[in-house]
Each structure stands twice: as C-alpha cells, then as structure tokens.
Amino acid sequence: MIDAISDSIRQPWPWYVSGFMIALVLAFMLFTGKTFGFSSNLRTLCTLCGAGRKWAFFNFNWKDQAWNLLFLLGSILGGFITSHFLENGQALKLASSTVQDIQKIGINFTGEMQPGQLFGPEALLSVKGILILITGGFLVGFGSRYAGGCTSGHAITGLSNLQKPSLIAVAGFFIGGLIMTHLLLPLIF
Amino acid sequence: MKALRFIIAGTIFGIIMSKSEAISWYRIQEMFRFQSFHMYGIIGVAVLLGAAITYLIKKFRLKDIHGNPIILEDKKMQWRKYLFGGIIFGLGWALTGACPGPIFVNLGYGYLTFLVVIAGALLGTLTYGIIKDKIPH
C-alpha cells in the first residue's frame, strides 16, 4: 500500500492533480488571511537589501511580508525534496513537435527537467549564456511588478476572482510569450 | 509555529510545480507553441476550482482562521500597466521558461544557474521601483 502510494507520487503528476493542488494552496492562503502572489517577494527582497533607504517604492516594513518570504523559502525546499526524493528517473515526455521545433533553434531535448545548454553550468561559460539568464530574469522581475502580479497573483488569484485587469495582464503574458517564442528565440539562439 | 505553516505551504507548492514539470523550460515552450494541453490543463483546473472557492467565500461571507472576513479586493482598472507589464513579463517567461515561483523552485531543484536569473529579477524589480513614475500606467 505505502509502496503503491510512494510509487505514484514519484510519477510525473497529471495536469488535473496539479491544478487541484494549486487551488488547495490558494484556498489555504485565503483561509489563513493572506493572498497567493509570489512576485511580491521580489519587491520585499529589494527592501531587505536596503533599497527602501533610497527609493520610496521599497520603503515599507518587510516584516508584514515575512509570511510570503517563508512561502518562498518553502518553495525552494519543495524543489530540493522533489529532485532528491520524489523522482523516479523517468524522462520528461515532451510533445514530439516541440522536440523538433526547439531542435531547429539549436536546443536539444535530453529528457531532463531543463536543457543543460541554458541552465547547466556550461551556460555560465559564455557571455551569451549569462546574458540570457540575466535578461530573462530582468524581464520577469520588471514586468511582474509593472503588471502588479505574476502567474499566481493574476492568472490564478485574479482570474478566479473574475478580475478584468488580471485578464488583460494574462493576455499580455501570452502576447509577450508568443513574441519571444516565435519571433525572438530564433534570433537569439 | 505560525512560520512553519507558510514554509509547509511553500514546500507543497514547490513539489507541485516540480512534479507537474511546470518549472521546465521545455513545458513552457510546449505551451507557447500550443503543442500540449498540459500547462493549460493545470492553469485551467486551478482557475475553475479557484473561482468556485472565491464564489463560495463571497456568497457565504466566509471568515479566515483568525475570524476575520476574507476580503478579495478588486484590482484598479488601468489597462496600460496590465498590458505593457504583462507583455514584458511574458517575454521573460518564455525566455527563462519560469515565472517568479518556479525561478526559486528551480534553484532548490538543483539548477544553481537560477541564482543569475534571480539576480536579474531583483534588478528588474528594482528598476521598476526607480522609474515607475516615468512610465505609463
């Protein structure tokens, strides 16, 4: 019995299990009197680094957001626990059309969670590799604060609460994502 | 003990993101190329159930564990900020294959290069905070 359960946890989770679990996390946050929004942590981290002394946007009491930083800490732990204890070594099953498409732009599919070319240690050996990581992060950090939220705050929490602003933000996420995927990635790689 | 509650919630979130492979650059590529239902299924189910939860909270004026009413604030309508900010975010999401949560989950998963992505994300948020009054909202 226990073996069967632990075996099925180690399998990749189907979309409906993950979607259900994410909704549970949302409910948990709401019923503990908080919200589900991850990108606010980036602002809090800037405040922790002292940005509040110079710029008013970061001048707030970070302790009010301590619960969210703990959530962030937990998410790192969750990634660690999964890769060390909850994987069965099965290769990621990617759509064959995607495998072919990304091969055309020079990214090989290895069956691992991430392409080593982009996120392995070798990515740090070239200026281009480092620039991709920094620029990508910059766009995510700038865009999420500009839009007032990310996937958790807008796509999950905002759409669940039928917020039109969130629908505009999510449409924006997709416009940007499609431009990057179909127009810019072939130029970058 | 209160602290533990949020660490556990975050840990479960990290495990969900990893086990559903939502932290994978490959899966985000699959999504933006419309070649799999996987990511749409995850977000779709989360939003449908989330909408039901939100509806019930409002309808029955449910309270949180501290006995306070759960208030879901309406977001202010300013289309420029949501559209422009959203597009910039989307460009970064497709490039790194990760939104803010998965950036940190990836770090824990063992991809230490995400420290560079995190540095970029902090720089981006910092830049927004500095120039926010000069860009359209």
Side-chain angles (χ1 to χ4, degrees):
Chain A
M1 177 67 183
I2 289 167
D3 275 358
I5 292 171
S6 94
D7 270 359
S8 58
I9 287 176
R10 281 187 181 139
Q11 297 282 330
W13 294 3
W15 52 268
Y16 45 88
V17 173
S18 303
F20 176 79
M21 297 281 289
I22 292 170
L24 284 188
V25 172
L26 169 67
F28 175 86
M29 298 312 274
L30 293 177
F31 280 99
T32 46
K34 309 295 182 198
T35 51
F36 180 42
F38 202 98
S39 65
S40 305
N41 283 315
L42 295 170
R43 181 186 180 196
T44 314
L45 287 174
C46 287
T47 301
L48 272 179
C49 294
R53 267 175 261 141
K54 238 179 139 183
W55 299 288
F57 183 67
F58 301 102
N59 189 8
F60 68 98
N61 189 0
W62 67 269
K63 284 181 185 155
D64 295 341
Q65 282 284 315
W67 59 272
N68 213 350
L69 289 177
L70 293 170
F71 187 88
L72 177 147
L73 212 64
S75 73
I76 299 176
L77 194 64
F80 181 86
I81 290 173
T82 307
S83 67
H84 285 77
F85 307 109
L86 301 178
E87 292 289 14
N88 60 4
Q90 206 177 313
L92 193 136
K93 286 192 187 78
L94 192 66
S96 57
S97 45
T98 310
V99 175
Q100 286 167 9
D101 282 356
I102 59 173
Q103 199 156 40
K104 278 181 210 148
I105 56 170
I107 306 286
N108 297 317
F109 177 63
T110 55
E112 289 170 288
M113 185 67 90
Q114 299 284 17
Q117 285 164 278
L118 289 174
F119 304 109
E122 64 260 46
L124 301 179
L125 296 176
S126 74
V127 177
K128 188 176 156 183
I130 296 172
L131 274 179
I132 287 172
L133 296 171
I134 289 204
T135 312
F138 186 94
L139 294 167
V140 167
F142 186 94
S144 60
R145 210 66 273 124
Y146 191 0
C150 58
T151 328
S152 51
H154 276 309
I156 310 288
T157 312
L159 289 187
S160 290
N161 193 23
L162 313 176
Q163 296 291 300
K164 216 162 133 193
S166 293
L167 190 63
I168 298 174
V170 174
F173 296 171
F174 269 84
I175 296 170
L178 292 175
I179 292 173
M180 177 56 72
T181 301
H182 298 277
L183 302 177
L184 301 179
L185 283 187
L187 301 175
I188 294 171
F189 298 128
Chain B
M1 274 337 254
K2 249 186 185 170
L4 200 61
R5 172 194 299 168
F6 294 109
I7 295 178
I8 292 172
T11 305
I12 293 171
F13 172 75
I15 294 173
I16 302 168
M17 289 291 116
S18 309
K19 286 312 300 176
S20 61
E21 297 160 348
I23 63 167
S24 167
W25 183 90
Y26 294 123
R27 285 267 179 252
I28 303 304
Q29 276 297 300
E30 211 179 38
M31 173 179 82
F32 282 129
R33 291 172 191 278
F34 303 104
Q35 288 164 335
S36 166
F37 178 71
H38 188 74
M39 289 302 303
Y40 296 99
I42 294 175
I43 299 172
V45 169
V47 171
L48 280 178
L49 284 173
I53 293 164
T54 308
Y55 174 80
L56 292 173
I57 286 174
K58 285 182 170 172
K59 181 162 168 94
F60 297 106
R61 297 189 186 164
L62 298 179
K63 296 194 159 92
D64 65 24
I65 52 167
H66 311 294
N68 302 316
I70 299 173
I71 299 158
L72 292 139
E73 279 173 33
D74 284 335
K75 292 182 198 292
K76 256 196 279 173
M77 191 58 204
Q78 301 163 286
W79 67 271
R80 285 182 193 86
K81 114 187 192 124
Y82 297 114
L83 183 65
F84 301 156
I87 291 174
I88 295 171
F89 175 87
L91 290 168
W93 189 11
L95 184 56
T96 60
C99 44
I103 287 178
F104 288 90
V105 180
N106 265 297
L107 177 64
Y109 197 89
Y111 290 101
L112 299 183
T113 47
F114 272 87
L115 282 170
V116 182
V117 183
I118 291 169
L122 291 177
L123 212 59
T125 301
L126 184 68
T127 307
Y128 171 75
I130 296 170
I131 67 162
K132 75 189 237 326
D133 295 328
K134 298 188 180 79
I135 51 178
H137 277 75

